[in-house]
Amino acid sequence: MSNKATKPEEKGFFEKVKETIEEFWDSTKDKAEELKDKAEDKIDALKEKAANEKAIVAKKTTAAKTNITKKADNIADKVKTATSNVKAKADTKAKAVTAKAKDEAATVKKAAATVKAKTTAKAKEVADAAKTKVADAKKAAATKTAKVATEVKKKANAAK
């Protein structure tokens, strides 16, 4: 017969502790690797999500920039249009005022010419009337002088 026992060999206390520690170590190592894998997966997922959100934000920013640019262009166009309208109105008003001033100046010149013509005509009329009256007065004076001279001559002849 053999000296080997049929019972399984019992391990000692330290060997049991050693095996337990190895089991803890192996399970901890496995858990650490699982946690590392999960963390890497989570980081990758977060990176993808961040990239997607970054793309969305970039699209929104681009859209907002485009929108703002369009609005700024629209405002600039409105300002240009308003400015040109104001300039056109000012030019039209200035032309109208200039034309009105020219018309009034022409009217004043015509009125002055008319007054001058009327004054000249009246002066001629008065001068002609005065000449006529002077001539009539001279004729009347000459006639009276001739009558008086004739009478003086008659009286002088009669006195002789």
Side-chain angles (χ1 to χ4, degrees), residues 48-113:
E48 286 180 28
K49 186 176 180 183
N52 289 340
E53 288 183 13
K54 188 176 179 182
I56 291 170
V57 168
K59 286 181 185 177
K60 287 182 181 178
T61 304
T62 305
K65 284 181 183 177
T66 305
N67 216 2
I68 289 171
T69 305
K70 285 181 183 177
K71 286 182 181 179
D73 290 342
N74 286 342
I75 290 171
D77 290 342
K78 286 179 183 178
V79 168
K80 286 179 184 177
T81 304
T83 303
S84 64
N85 287 344
V86 168
K87 283 182 181 178
K89 286 180 182 177
D91 288 343
T92 305
K93 192 71 170 179
K95 287 178 182 176
V97 168
T98 304
K100 187 175 181 182
K102 285 181 181 178
D103 288 346
E104 287 180 8
T107 304
V108 168
K109 284 180 182 178
K110 285 180 185 177

Side-chain angles (χ1 to χ4, degrees), residues 21-39:
I21 290 173
E22 284 177 2
E23 286 176 13
F24 281 141
W25 179 255
D26 288 339
S27 67
T28 305
K29 224 176 180 182
D30 292 339
K31 285 183 182 178
E33 285 180 16
E34 286 177 21
L35 286 175
K36 183 181 173 188
D37 290 341
K38 284 183 182 179

